[in-house]
Amino acid sequence: MSEEQLSTILIGAIDRVVYRNEENEYCIAEFQIQKSREVITISGILPAVNCGENLKLMGEWNHHNQYGKQFKVLKFQSRLPSSVHGIRKYLGSGLIPGIGKVYADKIVDYFADKTFEVISHESGRLKEVPGIGAKRAKQIKIAWDKQQAIREIMLFLKTYGVTNAQCLKLVKTYGMEAKANIEANPYKLVEDIAGIGFKTADRIALNLGLPSNSEKRIHAGLLYTIQVLEEEGHTIFPEEQCLSHTAELLQLDLTTVAPFIHDLLAQKRLVRPEESKLQLKATEIREKEVAQSIRFICSAPSNLPAIHVDRALKWSQDQAGFQFANMQEQAIRNALENKFSILTGGPGTGKTTILSSIVKILKAKNARILLASPTGRAAQRLAESTNSYAQTIHRLLKFDPAEKKFTSNKEHPLKSDFIIIDESSMLDTKLAASLFQALPASSHLLLVGDVDQLPSVGCGNVLRDLIHSGFGKVTELNTVFRQKKESSIVSVAHAILANRIALPPSAKSVHQINPKTDIHYLPADTPEQCIEQIKELFNHRIPQKFGLHPIRQTQLIVPMHKGIAGIGNINLISQEILNPVAEKLQIGSNFYKKGDKVIQTRNNYDKNIFNGDVGYIQTLDTEDKTALIQFDNQKVEFEKSDFLDLQLAYSISVHKSQGSEYPLVIIPILKQHFMLLQKNLIYTAITRGKEKVILVGDSTAYAMAIKNTQSTDRKTHLVEKLHRHSQIPTVW
């Protein structure tokens, strides 16, 4: 829209910022018109505007029902304030770290209308101001330059849907060259900036004038298509499918797109592991690393001290005080007699007994043992069940942020005779490659997991592929032992695996729930009814009747993110009921309070916290926008930008719950969740409950999930790589 088409143009300065949404930069402010000195209310998308700033506004007047007359900004131009009053207000707004109102007054009193020129071009002179030393002067200059870079990028990208948070990441990644890098190749944003997808980069590129059939665009489109398929879990893809999806995405002819596959193959960004099949080069390397590591372990001699397995089994049973079942004995024998073994089975089948016995035998022989799991909660459970130290895989491998790699690797392997990895169904190709490469060839490897759970979030199906490969010795447990404790949770879980729709005992209302029964179904036909049932549970049943803490001992596990009964809304409702603290910190559209239960959504190696780690906010500073968060045994300081990788965790997804157990699990399940209702999803959610499970929702939706046995088979190439140029090793 041109300036001529806009009904009104106003010139003046920002007097006060009333409200700002930091996620989309929507702003409400008081604005003083230059000519009349009248103060009005303005609203619109105004990235990074601050008090004292001079603006030329283009837009139109409208009337807000609650706040009256406002000026809706459709377009604006900005320049730094030139008057001493405006400069003082701008600097004193807290925009620049290191300059509050006191220092703003000192600097402006000293340099007057030359203040901005001094900070920009002669920042060393700031030391002339009483109270400002060399260190503070340098901090002010760095912060000033960064703010100017952010402003320039925000103004440049504001029409493309790039958020404030993403702009901050752009500046952090590219520095002062951010705008130049974007103009040179907008598609690099997809690779370099988390949260910026192909469609945003494509919109920027087309607006910058790049042709729709440009080489950069088609290359980026092909890679994006394959990455989307990888996000669905696959590691290998039919070439025809990749081409057709890319052509549709870019709205180009198939014949235009097809030749560019050869470029990516020549650049070794893609490979053809089989005729008419494509794979990302990085993924091919990781699958090869997994295959090579497993072959090495299987073929190398064991470093374990000599163990007489029959005697060890008898000793272990004497220690346990009961006779092991045949399959339990076989599982222990397989682990001790084979360099590589796999133990799989559902809840209640005795995996814990087996692991505890193996660890006791190895400890008695003074063997070096390492125990690990993909998540902190799973590692904690493993430690408790074996009475031994266990840790997450990331902590086991020790990531070096400076080098951006694990310090334990092929060149510097772990020191161990026997390694046990629990919850191995969560291993994706990338993590498995890093882990297996760090194992000494002489060590035994035991993978433990439940293949009927959801597969890994990342691409690949490592545990299932290794089971089907013929490498290693597999023990599959199928006899339930926990039935002696009358565990209805276990009974329902195994009914799901058998495709039987065995609805748990029903209670018409929260008040009819029997606290002595471990699994219940609460009817709720609509999302609204579901929410009301959850509120009743929090307000009445959980603390009074179950004797459980509604935050620390209870977990809502929800199939979908959006909607009334989605993760986002249930988190807000739970926060309101369970943590009614008035003071809150707004980051984007999210609000955080002291005492909140939160979850990390990205690996942060600098802070030693990882995707899926759950913490509790200990302290919160709403002025500085900082927090201290307790994650397991460590307290982590969070700055404003760190909150971008944080979410409330009163309710979490089924994937995020994997590897954890909770005293009480509440699972909303409605027909509105139909897109994600699958047997393995419900099975995984229910088996997270250690003492109690409450399903809240529609019995029809529950039946839909059990019936939906849609194959979770992922297209991978690991088995083929394992067998290529290799014989299946004999048992050691």
Side-chain angles (χ1 to χ4, degrees):
M1 189 178 289
S2 66
E3 290 185 24
E4 292 76 17
Q5 292 174 298
L6 296 169
S7 56
T8 308
I9 295 175
L10 300 176
I11 295 174
I14 295 287
D15 199 55
R16 183 170 75 94
V17 175
V18 178
Y19 167 80
R20 188 197 307 280
N21 183 325
E22 298 191 23
E23 193 166 283
N24 60 14
E25 283 300 320
Y26 177 79
C27 183
I28 300 172
E30 291 178 356
F31 181 80
Q32 187 176 73
I33 300 172
Q34 190 177 78
K35 285 185 178 180
S36 65
R37 315 302 294 174
E38 178 189 1
V39 177
I40 64 168
T41 300
I42 65 171
S43 63
I45 305 299
L46 297 161
V49 298
N50 284 278
C51 291
E53 190 168 346
N54 293 331
L55 300 177
K56 179 180 181 181
L57 307 178
M58 293 144 273
E60 56 195 22
W61 291 98
N62 61 18
H63 190 276
H64 192 280
N65 291 335
Q66 186 175 351
Y67 301 108
K69 187 179 180 183
Q70 290 187 355
F71 188 77
K72 182 180 179 183
V73 180
L74 301 175
K75 190 175 179 181
F76 79 98
Q77 294 173 359
S78 167
R79 66 179 187 274
L80 292 171
S82 54
S83 70
V84 171
H85 172 75
I87 294 169
R88 191 184 304 276
K89 197 151 193 166
Y90 185 82
L91 279 187
S93 67
L95 171 70
I96 309 298
I99 306 182
K101 188 176 184 309
V102 173
Y103 278 107
D105 286 342
K106 286 184 177 182
I107 293 169
V108 178
D109 286 345
Y110 195 90
F111 293 114
D113 59 356
K114 302 292 184 186
T115 297
F116 290 150
E117 185 179 337
V118 169
I119 297 175
S120 296
H121 305 296
E122 301 176 82
S123 59
R125 290 192 61 198
L126 288 169
K127 291 181 289 185
E128 298 172 17
V129 179
I132 295 182
K135 184 178 179 181
R136 186 179 291 273
K138 185 178 180 181
Q139 288 174 337
I140 291 171
K141 172 62 174 171
I142 291 170
W144 173 266
D145 288 346
K146 183 178 178 181
Q147 184 62 34
Q148 296 308 103
I150 292 171
R151 165 180 292 281
E152 185 178 0
I153 290 171
M154 280 184 169
L155 293 173
F156 173 60
L157 295 176
K158 66 175 182 168
T159 58
Y160 305 122
V162 179
T163 67
N164 183 17
Q166 290 166 342
C167 284
L168 289 171
K169 287 183 179 180
L170 277 165
V171 174
K172 189 174 181 180
T173 303
Y174 296 138
M176 300 299 287
E177 302 300 316
K179 185 178 177 182
N181 286 346
I182 293 165
E183 289 175 327
N185 185 5
Y187 296 106
K188 279 284 287 175
L189 295 176
V190 182
E191 298 175 36
D192 297 343
I193 310 298
I196 294 185
F198 171 81
K199 292 181 180 178
T200 300
D202 196 40
R203 192 161 58 245
I204 295 170
L206 294 176
N207 276 280
L208 287 173
L210 266 71
S212 62
N213 62 348
S214 70
E215 177 183 282
K216 289 177 182 175
R217 183 169 189 254
I218 296 175
H219 284 172
L222 282 164
L223 292 171
Y224 170 72
T225 295
I226 293 177
Q227 284 158 2
V228 167
L229 291 169
E230 271 208 355
E231 286 169 9
E232 294 174 5
H234 310 292
T235 67
I236 187 171
F237 323 99
E239 186 170 332
E240 187 179 340
Q241 181 186 11
C242 296
L243 288 170
S244 61
H245 283 193
T246 305
E248 184 179 351
L249 170 75
L250 303 179
Q251 295 186 318
L252 296 171
D253 293 333
L254 199 62
T255 53
T256 304
V257 173
F260 289 91
I261 284 281
H262 302 291
D263 295 344
L264 295 174
L265 289 167
Q267 295 168 15
K268 296 190 176 177
R269 301 187 76 179
L270 292 180
V271 293
R272 272 200 190 104
E274 290 181 17
E275 187 65 33
S276 302
K277 297 284 179 68
L278 294 173
Q279 189 171 36
L280 287 174
K281 180 64 178 176
T283 306
E284 184 211 33
I285 290 171
R286 287 167 187 150
E287 280 192 339
K288 281 184 174 179
E289 287 170 347
V290 171
Q292 185 182 52
S293 299
I294 292 296
R295 288 202 298 264
F296 281 167
I297 289 170
C298 289
S299 59
S302 170
N303 201 38
L304 269 186
I307 298 175
H308 192 293
V309 177
D310 289 330
R311 271 185 251 164
L313 280 167
K314 185 180 183 308
W315 175 83
S316 185
Q317 288 175 98
D318 291 341
Q319 292 282 310
F322 59 87
Q323 178 72 34
F324 295 161
N326 289 338
M327 287 304 291
Q328 290 177 311
E329 282 194 12
Q330 190 60 51
I332 296 169
R333 185 181 296 278
N334 287 344
L336 296 175
E337 291 183 346
N338 293 274
K339 289 292 303 309
F340 172 45
S341 58
I342 298 173
L343 174 62
T344 181
T349 55
K351 294 196 296 293
T352 299
T353 299
I354 293 165
L355 288 180
S356 176
S357 298
I358 291 170
V359 170
K360 283 179 181 176
I361 292 168
L362 293 171
K363 281 184 175 179
K365 287 292 185 178
N366 294 319
R368 297 173 299 174
I369 316 165
L370 289 176
L371 305 174
S373 183
T375 69
R377 289 292 180 89
Q380 186 178 344
R381 286 197 297 111
L382 181 60
E384 290 167 358
S385 64
T386 59
N387 195 29
S388 301
Y389 178 69
Q391 58 194 311
T392 63
I393 294 170
H394 284 91
R395 291 188 174 98
L396 172 71
L397 299 179
K398 297 181 181 65
F399 191 82
D400 182 348
E403 296 293 326
K404 297 191 182 304
K405 65 179 184 180
F406 291 113
T407 57
S408 293
N409 48 45
K410 190 175 182 179
E411 288 73 33
H412 303 94
L414 297 162
K415 293 178 173 60
S416 176
D417 302 318
F418 203 109
I419 296 175
I420 298 173
I421 305 296
D422 199 10
E423 297 292 348
S424 295
S425 62
M426 298 176 68
L427 282 176
D428 61 29
T429 304
K430 183 178 181 181
L431 184 57
S434 297
L435 172 64
F436 295 165
Q437 280 202 304
L439 305 185
S442 60
S443 177
H444 284 235
L445 171 63
L446 170 60
L447 298 181
V448 185
D450 184 349
V451 289
D452 292 310
Q453 288 188 25
L454 288 172
S456 60
V457 176
C459 68
N461 209 350
V462 175
L463 182 63
R464 190 175 289 274
D465 284 348
L466 290 173
I467 288 171
H468 292 160
S469 72
F471 280 72
K473 196 73 173 177
V474 179
T475 308
E476 185 174 353
L477 304 173
N478 46 35
T479 302
V480 176
F481 295 101
R482 271 163 52 186
Q483 284 302 90
K484 293 175 183 176
K485 298 180 183 178
E486 297 180 352
S487 171
S488 298
I489 295 172
V490 172
S491 299
V492 170
H494 283 273
I496 291 171
L497 293 182
N499 300 325
R500 295 199 313 272
I501 303 168
L503 195 67
S506 177
K508 290 184 179 179
S509 74
V510 166
H511 303 284
Q512 291 183 6
I513 289 178
N514 182 355
K516 294 181 180 179
T517 304
D518 62 0
I519 185 164
H520 272 284
Y521 160 65
L522 275 175
D525 294 332
T526 66
E528 291 80 7
Q529 290 175 4
C530 180
I531 293 298
E532 288 307 311
Q533 294 278 39
I534 291 170
K535 286 180 178 178
E536 282 290 301
L537 283 167
F538 282 145
N539 286 326
H540 301 291
R541 203 65 183 172
I542 295 172
Q544 292 97 328
K545 296 296 183 182
F546 295 155
L548 296 172
H549 195 286
I551 299 178
R552 291 184 177 266
Q553 293 179 294
T554 302
Q555 186 60 60
L556 276 150
I557 300 178
V558 185
M560 289 188 72
H561 284 270
K562 297 181 179 179
I564 294 171
I567 291 170
N569 190 48
I570 291 178
N571 263 327
L572 294 177
I573 291 166
S574 303
Q575 183 189 47
E576 184 180 337
I577 295 171
L578 301 175
N579 193 20
V581 177
E583 187 178 40
K584 53 190 176 183
L585 168 63
Q586 182 178 5
I587 302 289
S589 58
N590 297 320
F591 293 93
Y592 297 97
K593 303 177 183 181
K594 181 181 176 181
D596 271 341
K597 182 180 184 178
V598 291
I599 188 168
Q600 179 74 7
T601 61
R602 184 184 67 87
N603 291 339
N604 187 325
Y605 298 104
D606 293 322
K607 294 185 180 294
N608 199 34
I609 51 175
F610 305 98
N611 187 2
D613 283 356
V614 172
Y616 298 88
I617 298 179
Q618 302 291 302
T619 62
L620 197 67
D621 189 323
T622 55
E623 291 287 328
D624 293 339
K625 297 189 176 181
T626 60
L628 187 67
I629 303 178
Q630 180 81 47
F631 288 94
D632 292 329
N633 298 320
Q634 63 171 332
K635 290 183 179 179
V636 181
E637 293 182 0
F638 265 59
E639 297 177 357
K640 179 182 172 182
S641 60
D642 297 320
F643 280 92
L644 300 173
D645 301 318
L646 202 69
Q647 291 177 1
L648 292 176
Y650 299 100
S651 69
I652 59 176
S653 68
V654 183
H655 264 302
K656 293 289 187 192
S657 75
Q658 272 188 280
S660 299
E661 279 187 346
Y662 312 91
L664 170 61
V665 165
I666 302 171
I667 308 166
I669 178 168
L670 297 158
K671 281 185 279 192
Q672 284 80 358
H673 299 150
F674 74 95
M675 289 182 67
L676 293 173
L677 292 181
Q678 292 182 357
K679 185 175 80 169
N680 61 354
L681 182 137
I682 297 301
Y683 170 78
T684 303
I686 285 176
T687 53
R688 301 308 92 207
K690 190 175 181 181
E691 298 173 20
K692 296 187 183 300
V693 172
I694 301 175
L695 291 162
V696 185
D698 188 340
S699 59
T700 308
Y702 181 78
M704 285 169 57
I706 307 307
K707 290 177 182 176
N708 186 3
T709 56
Q710 178 183 346
S711 174
T712 54
D713 183 35
R714 296 180 169 191
K715 304 296 184 236
T716 68
H717 205 247
L718 177 56
V719 174
E720 288 80 359
K721 286 182 172 67
L722 273 161
H723 287 283
R724 190 167 289 174
H725 313 302
S726 172
Q727 298 293 321
I728 298 178
T730 57
V731 173
W732 170 76

